[in-house]
Amino acid sequence: MEILSDLKWRGAINQLTDEAGMEELLGAKQVGLYAGIDPTADSMHIGHLIPFMILKRFQLAGHKPVIVIGGGTGSIGDPSGRNSERVLQTMDQVMHNESALTGQMVHLFGTENFRVVNNRDWLGKIGMLDFLRDYGKLFSVNTMLAKDVVASRLEVGISYTEFTYQILQSVDFLHLFREEDVQIQVGGADQWGNITAGTDLIHRLEGSEAKAYGLTIPLMLKADGTKFGKSAGGAVWLDAAKTSPYEFYQFWYNQADADVVKYLKYFTFLSHEEIAALETAVATDPGKREAQRRLAQEVTAFVHSPAAVEEAERISAALFSGDVQELTASEIEQGFANMPDFALTAEPKNIVDFIVDAGVDKSKRQAREDVENGAIRINGEQIKDLEAIVDPTAMYDGKFVIVRRGKKKYFLGRVNG
């Protein structure tokens, strides 16, 4: 299927600057296209992932994505999506973030038919007088004020620095058009004003027939109208050190039936037929959560690896069954990250004292009762002997003790020293 038609079917197009012209271009040649990300953090979260899924689809269709790391624009701040000025970072932090984001992009896109560039490499060479003379004269303040990205900030105020962001982003598009044969810019819905400013600049300097186009993506909302991309713990990061692969997998697995088909269309590379079959499964047997499981598998494999999917599903199965003996210390760290935890020493202790000291039970009377009734499991093993001794270093590299009370209540003991 032609790629724009596929994107429409997936609900991934908000606006196009010239649909007919873009279709003709994409049908005639390999096309360069780009999206940018400013290095405001050392990892993307899943909200950032949205435009880059579009670029990946173009890459799979034979086109050439270029990722712009905004070392230049990121040092001044993008006004979109916020009601206040961005707090500027040190250049050391910006450069650290650039390196981390570049690594993530290479992981997602590979090294074939793909480029990562940094706009500081060209923006940093433009002097103030050249900027004002060569570019500032080509932008009308009236037009800039009318752009949504600026207009939304006028009541609370916007600095000249952030006001000029759309000029710098336009210069990015012009540079990439000239130097990288990039003809399409992709961005979120809030980037429409910046993108059209770029196409206008190209047409002004390269001629009205220059083939430069823009594509924006709809704001991603859940079925209840709230913004997509947050979990109970905050942002869902692509960096495994910030959001573990298990937590990442669980985020997708826990999506509502009302949202899962939309996310399958947007965040996976499954065919229309495969998604239609999963949509039927949601309607006929939602309890199996077949669509959610496939969504979690596909996105986790793309962002992390197939091995990360296997690990996440092994942790999930162990927690559901209570059979945690075979989990590794690393898997314990992931699977129990958000469960109640307590600190303990490596010293062996009587089971009753251990349970009370851990806060699993409030009194020794309750602890004895739970042990005798078989309600307590230590590292997956049921303990019914009131004289049993718990050795905190017996499993999981001597780092953890897993206590389970009843069928579902887990506690994680972390061994100090």
Side-chain angles (χ1 to χ4, degrees):
M1 178 183 286
E2 190 270 329
I3 188 166
L4 291 185
S5 297
D6 179 59
L7 292 178
K8 288 179 183 177
W9 178 82
R10 294 177 184 275
I13 295 178
N14 183 51
Q15 290 175 288
L16 298 168
T17 56
D18 177 1
E19 182 173 352
M22 194 183 298
E23 283 184 344
E24 181 180 357
L25 178 71
L26 290 167
K29 56 174 283 193
Q30 180 193 64
V31 177
L33 64 159
Y34 94 94
I37 181 169
D38 284 343
T40 54
D42 59 3
S43 173
M44 290 189 288
H45 55 65
I46 57 172
H48 293 133
L49 188 61
I50 294 171
F52 299 108
M53 295 297 298
I54 302 298
L55 261 63
K56 185 67 178 182
R57 295 188 196 284
F58 275 98
Q59 184 187 43
L60 294 174
H63 300 289
K64 182 181 178 180
V66 176
I67 306 297
V68 175
I69 304 292
T73 47
S75 66
I76 70 162
D78 179 357
S80 66
R82 291 172 293 109
N83 292 319
S84 61
E85 294 284 315
R86 176 177 288 167
V87 177
L88 300 183
Q89 302 179 93
T90 67
M91 286 309 299
D92 284 346
Q93 184 63 52
V94 169
M95 294 177 72
H96 165 75
N97 294 347
E98 290 170 7
S99 177
L101 292 174
T102 298
Q104 288 186 337
M105 292 300 180
V106 171
H107 176 74
L108 295 177
F109 288 88
T111 56
E112 297 294 324
N113 205 30
F114 167 69
R115 284 258 292 155
V116 180
V117 295
N118 190 319
N119 65 14
R120 188 174 58 248
D121 292 343
W122 57 87
L123 294 179
K125 296 176 181 177
I126 302 174
M128 182 182 71
L129 294 180
D130 291 333
F131 173 75
L132 295 173
R133 180 184 178 90
D134 296 341
Y135 303 112
K137 291 288 286 184
L138 302 179
F139 286 80
S140 163
V141 170
N142 291 345
T143 301
M144 294 175 70
L145 289 171
K147 302 285 187 181
D148 288 344
V149 69
V150 172
S152 63
R153 286 282 299 279
L154 291 180
E155 285 192 15
V156 296
I158 181 171
S159 69
Y160 177 74
T161 297
E162 292 197 2
F163 179 64
T164 62
Y165 189 97
Q166 63 180 280
I167 301 179
L168 297 182
Q169 187 167 326
S170 300
V171 174
D172 286 347
F173 199 174
L174 176 67
H175 173 87
L176 295 169
F177 181 87
R178 288 172 169 173
E179 303 298 328
E180 301 282 350
D181 195 26
V182 166
Q183 295 175 272
I184 300 174
Q185 182 180 173
V186 176
D190 62 345
Q191 291 294 311
W192 179 251
N194 291 339
I195 291 173
T196 54
T199 57
D200 289 345
L201 179 63
I202 291 171
H203 290 146
R204 185 144 186 186
L205 294 178
E206 302 295 314
S208 60
E209 299 304 312
K211 298 183 183 301
Y213 306 96
L215 182 158
T216 62
I217 302 151
L219 177 65
M220 186 67 68
L221 297 175
K222 295 189 286 187
D224 62 7
T226 59
K227 191 174 181 179
F228 164 82
K230 299 285 188 179
S231 70
V236 180
W237 300 96
L238 272 59
D239 185 342
K242 294 177 179 289
T243 298
S244 73
Y246 168 75
E247 292 173 298
F248 190 85
Y249 178 99
Q250 287 296 317
F251 170 82
W252 296 102
Y253 184 80
N254 289 324
Q255 294 303 315
D257 292 340
D259 292 315
V260 67
V261 174
K262 176 170 67 176
Y263 297 160
L264 282 165
K265 289 180 177 180
Y266 203 94
F267 290 102
T268 78
F269 302 101
L270 298 177
S271 69
H272 294 198
E273 292 75 19
E274 289 174 298
I275 293 174
L278 290 167
E279 185 172 15
T280 299
V282 172
T284 58
D285 193 0
K288 287 183 68 174
R289 300 188 70 77
E290 183 179 349
Q292 283 88 345
R293 183 166 186 253
R294 191 65 185 278
L295 174 67
Q297 290 173 333
E298 293 292 320
V299 187
T300 305
F302 175 60
V303 170
H304 294 291
S305 68
V309 174
E310 294 178 5
E311 183 177 60
E313 293 189 330
R314 186 165 59 250
I315 296 171
S316 299
L319 292 178
F320 181 79
S321 67
D323 185 17
V324 298
Q325 290 94 332
E326 300 304 315
L327 294 179
T328 67
S330 173
E331 290 167 343
I332 293 297
E333 187 78 64
Q334 290 187 58
F336 288 80
N338 296 317
M339 294 184 183
D341 62 355
F342 59 94
L344 68 160
T345 66
E347 179 185 359
K349 189 177 292 187
N350 171 266
I351 180 67
V352 174
D353 294 330
F354 182 87
I355 291 172
V356 174
D357 291 346
V360 175
D361 280 324
K362 294 182 178 180
S363 68
K364 289 189 176 183
R365 181 194 61 78
Q366 183 64 56
R368 285 192 291 268
E369 183 177 320
D370 283 342
V371 170
E372 290 178 326
N373 291 338
I376 299 297
R377 291 180 181 268
I378 303 294
N379 297 334
E381 180 182 353
Q382 188 179 55
I383 304 295
K384 300 182 76 171
D385 179 5
L386 292 175
E387 302 303 318
I389 300 296
V390 177
D391 179 1
T393 64
M395 292 181 66
Y396 312 125
D397 299 336
K399 295 179 179 179
F400 305 112
V401 176
I402 299 174
V403 182
R404 179 175 147 197
R405 180 175 182 266
K407 291 185 176 181
K408 295 183 178 180
K409 191 67 173 178
Y410 283 96
F411 301 82
L412 179 66
R414 297 179 182 271
V415 181
N416 295 325

